[in-house]
């Protein structure tokens, strides 16, 4: 029998991002638990990581969806609404510890700090206290600017200690995130017609639009879950991008897709929604770092 080709796991790059760290955990999990070989494939944005699965350039994507400090990652949510053929098969929770990486000799030499917008926001208190006059510049990832540091010693980047090791760069200050229990939830996403999952699902993620912007429209949809006793661990709105004041509502329900209660909830929810999309039902794993 021919040997199966390694699976390709797409993630936000370049090398050293937290997305790569989560993807690497899942790669090792596949090898240890399912004897499946996989390779990592970095992409410049979260949207392109997910698009790679829809175009079959990758088998799986590992993308961030929510941070415990800064909330949801809008690009992931918007992309999942756009790509109808994707499903969530697993959630990974990764501890996040940011470091200030720079070739400067001291903090007072730094005039610019680069990082992903989420990382800058997760360290905004520290930055205001220790680098109040520095320019903060958003980049596509926490590692995108690292290659600039050796050439420009007055700049710094917020990234992981692992990234500093990969790029052989000095860490000026460790653990600069404002809250020590900082963590990010990632979704492992593949095609909707893929094989069965390895775990019994405990959560289901979905989103819907409403048929009309009128009093009580959202309440009627949410009451479906309340009446059935299904807890919602996340409720968030995103613009439909059709008209100002129109929103999509993203929900995480603490129930598996095949549970009788959720089956009943989805049937009733169709009555009160315009478009209803179920992104997947999955188990949540903590990532050991």
């Amino acid at each position: 029998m021919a040997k199966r080709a390694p699976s390709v796991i797409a993630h936000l790059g370049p090398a050293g991002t937290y997305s790569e760290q989560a993807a690497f955990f899942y790669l090792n999990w596949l090898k240890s638990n399912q004897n499946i070989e996989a390779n990592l494939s970095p992409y410049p944005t979260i949207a392109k990581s997910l698009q790679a699965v829809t175009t079959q350039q990758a088998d799986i994507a590992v993308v961030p969806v929510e941070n415990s400090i800064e909330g949801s990652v809008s690009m992931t949510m918007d992309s999942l609404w756009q790509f109808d053929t994707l499903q969530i098969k697993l959630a990974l929770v990764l501890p996040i510890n940011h470091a200030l990486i720079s070739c400067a000799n001291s903090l007072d030499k730094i005039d610019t700090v680069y990082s992903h917008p989420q990382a800058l926001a997760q360290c905004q208190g520290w930055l205001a206290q220790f680098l109040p006059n520095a320019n903060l510049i958003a980049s596509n990832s926490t590692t995108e600017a690292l290659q600039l540091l050796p050439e420009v010693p007055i700049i710094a980047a917020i990234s992981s200690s692992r990234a500093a090791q990969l790029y052989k760069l000095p860490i000026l200050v460790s653990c600069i995130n404002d809250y020590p229990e900082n963590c990010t939830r990632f979704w492992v996403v593949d095609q909707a017609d893929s094989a069965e999952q390895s775990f019994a699902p405990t959560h289901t993620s979905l989103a819907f639009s409403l048929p009309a912007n009128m009093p009580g429209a959202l309440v009627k949809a949410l009451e479906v879950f309340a009446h059935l006793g299904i807890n919602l661990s996340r409720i968030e709105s995103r613009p439909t991008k059709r008209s100002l004041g129109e929103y999509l509502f993203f929900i995480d329900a603490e129930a598996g897709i095949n549970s009788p209660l959720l089956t009943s909830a989805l049937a009733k929810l169709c009555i009160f929604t315009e478009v209803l999309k179920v992104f997947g039902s999955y188990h949540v794993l903590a990532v050991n770092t």
Side-chain angles (χ1 to χ4, degrees), residues 123-138:
C123 303
Q124 58 185 313
W126 188 94
L127 291 167
Q129 181 177 355
F130 294 102
L131 291 171
N133 299 316
N135 296 313
L136 306 181
I137 299 180

PDB file of all heavy atoms in Angstrom, residues 123-138:
ATOM      1  N   CYS A 123      -0.127  44.274  25.700  1.00  0.00           N
ATOM      2  CA  CYS A 123       0.999  44.845  26.462  1.00  0.00           C
ATOM      3  C   CYS A 123       0.881  46.357  26.617  1.00  0.00           C
ATOM      4  O   CYS A 123       1.863  47.031  26.958  1.00  0.00           O
ATOM      5  CB  CYS A 123       2.324  44.512  25.774  1.00  0.00           C
ATOM      6  SG  CYS A 123       2.637  42.758  25.532  1.00  0.00           S
ATOM      7  N   GLN A 124      -0.305  46.915  26.375  1.00  0.00           N
ATOM      8  CA  GLN A 124      -0.435  48.371  26.326  1.00  0.00           C
ATOM      9  C   GLN A 124      -0.115  49.036  27.658  1.00  0.00           C
ATOM     10  O   GLN A 124       0.454  50.139  27.683  1.00  0.00           O
ATOM     11  CB  GLN A 124      -1.827  48.758  25.862  1.00  0.00           C
ATOM     12  CG  GLN A 124      -2.971  48.233  26.701  1.00  0.00           C
ATOM     13  CD  GLN A 124      -4.320  48.555  26.093  1.00  0.00           C
ATOM     14  OE1 GLN A 124      -4.571  49.679  25.685  1.00  0.00           O
ATOM     15  NE2 GLN A 124      -5.195  47.565  26.002  1.00  0.00           N
ATOM     16  N   GLY A 125      -0.438  48.399  28.780  1.00  0.00           N
ATOM     17  CA  GLY A 125      -0.109  48.969  30.079  1.00  0.00           C
ATOM     18  C   GLY A 125       1.398  49.037  30.301  1.00  0.00           C
ATOM     19  O   GLY A 125       1.927  50.055  30.763  1.00  0.00           O
ATOM     20  N   TRP A 126       2.077  47.941  29.997  1.00  0.00           N
ATOM     21  CA  TRP A 126       3.537  47.903  30.143  1.00  0.00           C
ATOM     22  C   TRP A 126       4.197  48.935  29.224  1.00  0.00           C
ATOM     23  O   TRP A 126       5.118  49.653  29.641  1.00  0.00           O
ATOM     24  CB  TRP A 126       4.052  46.498  29.826  1.00  0.00           C
ATOM     25  CG  TRP A 126       5.510  46.315  30.138  1.00  0.00           C
ATOM     26  CD1 TRP A 126       6.063  45.826  31.288  1.00  0.00           C
ATOM     27  CD2 TRP A 126       6.616  46.644  29.276  1.00  0.00           C
ATOM     28  NE1 TRP A 126       7.435  45.824  31.200  1.00  0.00           N
ATOM     29  CE2 TRP A 126       7.808  46.325  29.983  1.00  0.00           C
ATOM     30  CE3 TRP A 126       6.720  47.171  27.997  1.00  0.00           C
ATOM     31  CZ2 TRP A 126       9.079  46.528  29.437  1.00  0.00           C
ATOM     32  CZ3 TRP A 126       7.984  47.372  27.450  1.00  0.00           C
ATOM     33  CH2 TRP A 126       9.143  47.053  28.158  1.00  0.00           C
ATOM     34  N   LEU A 127       3.738  49.015  27.987  1.00  0.00           N
ATOM     35  CA  LEU A 127       4.301  49.969  27.036  1.00  0.00           C
ATOM     36  C   LEU A 127       4.093  51.407  27.503  1.00  0.00           C
ATOM     37  O   LEU A 127       4.997  52.249  27.378  1.00  0.00           O
ATOM     38  CB  LEU A 127       3.670  49.762  25.655  1.00  0.00           C
ATOM     39  CG  LEU A 127       4.043  48.462  24.936  1.00  0.00           C
ATOM     40  CD1 LEU A 127       3.117  48.239  23.739  1.00  0.00           C
ATOM     41  CD2 LEU A 127       5.499  48.498  24.477  1.00  0.00           C
ATOM     42  N   ALA A 128       2.925  51.709  28.049  1.00  0.00           N
ATOM     43  CA  ALA A 128       2.642  53.066  28.537  1.00  0.00           C
ATOM     44  C   ALA A 128       3.545  53.433  29.707  1.00  0.00           C
ATOM     45  O   ALA A 128       3.939  54.603  29.864  1.00  0.00           O
ATOM     46  CB  ALA A 128       1.173  53.168  28.943  1.00  0.00           C
ATOM     47  N   GLN A 129       3.899  52.445  30.525  1.00  0.00           N
ATOM     48  CA  GLN A 129       4.740  52.718  31.695  1.00  0.00           C
ATOM     49  C   GLN A 129       6.220  52.813  31.352  1.00  0.00           C
ATOM     50  O   GLN A 129       6.920  53.720  31.832  1.00  0.00           O
ATOM     51  CB  GLN A 129       4.536  51.627  32.742  1.00  0.00           C
ATOM     52  CG  GLN A 129       5.350  51.834  34.019  1.00  0.00           C
ATOM     53  CD  GLN A 129       5.078  50.778  35.066  1.00  0.00           C
ATOM     54  OE1 GLN A 129       4.209  49.923  34.897  1.00  0.00           O
ATOM     55  NE2 GLN A 129       5.821  50.831  36.164  1.00  0.00           N
ATOM     56  N   PHE A 130       6.710  51.900  30.495  1.00  0.00           N
ATOM     57  CA  PHE A 130       8.155  51.814  30.283  1.00  0.00           C
ATOM     58  C   PHE A 130       8.623  52.385  28.941  1.00  0.00           C
ATOM     59  O   PHE A 130       9.799  52.724  28.798  1.00  0.00           O
ATOM     60  CB  PHE A 130       8.602  50.353  30.403  1.00  0.00           C
ATOM     61  CG  PHE A 130       8.428  49.788  31.782  1.00  0.00           C
ATOM     62  CD1 PHE A 130       7.368  48.959  32.082  1.00  0.00           C
ATOM     63  CD2 PHE A 130       9.332  50.112  32.789  1.00  0.00           C
ATOM     64  CE1 PHE A 130       7.195  48.445  33.353  1.00  0.00           C
ATOM     65  CE2 PHE A 130       9.179  49.595  34.075  1.00  0.00           C
ATOM     66  CZ  PHE A 130       8.100  48.767  34.365  1.00  0.00           C
ATOM     67  N   LEU A 131       7.726  52.491  27.970  1.00  0.00           N
ATOM     68  CA  LEU A 131       8.086  53.085  26.675  1.00  0.00           C
ATOM     69  C   LEU A 131       6.996  54.078  26.249  1.00  0.00           C
ATOM     70  O   LEU A 131       6.387  53.946  25.188  1.00  0.00           O
ATOM     71  CB  LEU A 131       8.255  51.984  25.612  1.00  0.00           C
ATOM     72  CG  LEU A 131       9.455  51.053  25.774  1.00  0.00           C
ATOM     73  CD1 LEU A 131       9.371  49.890  24.779  1.00  0.00           C
ATOM     74  CD2 LEU A 131      10.763  51.809  25.597  1.00  0.00           C
ATOM     75  N   PRO A 132       6.732  55.087  27.077  1.00  0.00           N
ATOM     76  CA  PRO A 132       5.595  55.980  26.817  1.00  0.00           C
ATOM     77  C   PRO A 132       5.731  56.801  25.539  1.00  0.00           C
ATOM     78  O   PRO A 132       4.719  57.238  24.986  1.00  0.00           O
ATOM     79  CB  PRO A 132       5.576  56.881  28.054  1.00  0.00           C
ATOM     80  CG  PRO A 132       6.983  56.850  28.569  1.00  0.00           C
ATOM     81  CD  PRO A 132       7.471  55.462  28.283  1.00  0.00           C
ATOM     82  N   ASN A 133       6.948  57.024  25.071  1.00  0.00           N
ATOM     83  CA  ASN A 133       7.156  57.860  23.885  1.00  0.00           C
ATOM     84  C   ASN A 133       7.439  57.064  22.615  1.00  0.00           C
ATOM     85  O   ASN A 133       7.669  57.656  21.556  1.00  0.00           O
ATOM     86  CB  ASN A 133       8.319  58.829  24.146  1.00  0.00           C
ATOM     87  CG  ASN A 133       8.047  59.757  25.320  1.00  0.00           C
ATOM     88  OD1 ASN A 133       6.948  60.291  25.446  1.00  0.00           O
ATOM     89  ND2 ASN A 133       9.044  59.929  26.188  1.00  0.00           N
ATOM     90  N   ALA A 134       7.419  55.768  22.704  1.00  0.00           N
ATOM     91  CA  ALA A 134       7.724  54.938  21.539  1.00  0.00           C
ATOM     92  C   ALA A 134       6.551  54.915  20.567  1.00  0.00           C
ATOM     93  O   ALA A 134       5.387  54.944  20.961  1.00  0.00           O
ATOM     94  CB  ALA A 134       8.067  53.520  21.982  1.00  0.00           C
ATOM     95  N   ASN A 135       6.875  54.873  19.280  1.00  0.00           N
ATOM     96  CA  ASN A 135       5.863  54.686  18.248  1.00  0.00           C
ATOM     97  C   ASN A 135       5.475  53.207  18.215  1.00  0.00           C
ATOM     98  O   ASN A 135       6.356  52.343  18.180  1.00  0.00           O
ATOM     99  CB  ASN A 135       6.397  55.109  16.881  1.00  0.00           C
ATOM    100  CG  ASN A 135       6.728  56.578  16.820  1.00  0.00           C
ATOM    101  OD1 ASN A 135       5.934  57.408  17.248  1.00  0.00           O
ATOM    102  ND2 ASN A 135       7.903  56.908  16.302  1.00  0.00           N
ATOM    103  N   LEU A 136       4.191  52.921  18.196  1.00  0.00           N
ATOM    104  CA  LEU A 136       3.715  51.544  18.142  1.00  0.00           C
ATOM    105  C   LEU A 136       3.186  51.284  16.737  1.00  0.00           C
ATOM    106  O   LEU A 136       2.252  51.949  16.286  1.00  0.00           O
ATOM    107  CB  LEU A 136       2.615  51.316  19.178  1.00  0.00           C
ATOM    108  CG  LEU A 136       2.966  51.700  20.624  1.00  0.00           C
ATOM    109  CD1 LEU A 136       1.790  51.392  21.546  1.00  0.00           C
ATOM    110  CD2 LEU A 136       4.233  51.001  21.093  1.00  0.00           C
ATOM    111  N   ILE A 137       3.785  50.311  16.053  1.00  0.00           N
ATOM    112  CA  ILE A 137       3.435  50.042  14.657  1.00  0.00           C
ATOM    113  C   ILE A 137       2.933  48.604  14.529  1.00  0.00           C
ATOM    114  O   ILE A 137       3.624  47.652  14.900  1.00  0.00           O
ATOM    115  CB  ILE A 137       4.640  50.270  13.723  1.00  0.00           C
ATOM    116  CG1 ILE A 137       5.093  51.735  13.828  1.00  0.00           C
ATOM    117  CG2 ILE A 137       4.283  49.915  12.282  1.00  0.00           C
ATOM    118  CD1 ILE A 137       6.268  52.079  12.943  1.00  0.00           C
ATOM    119  N   ALA A 138       1.726  48.471  14.001  1.00  0.00           N
ATOM    120  CA  ALA A 138       1.122  47.148  13.831  1.00  0.00           C
ATOM    121  C   ALA A 138       1.723  46.427  12.630  1.00  0.00           C
ATOM    122  O   ALA A 138       1.991  47.033  11.595  1.00  0.00           O
ATOM    123  CB  ALA A 138      -0.386  47.283  13.652  1.00  0.00           C
TER     124      ALA A 138
END
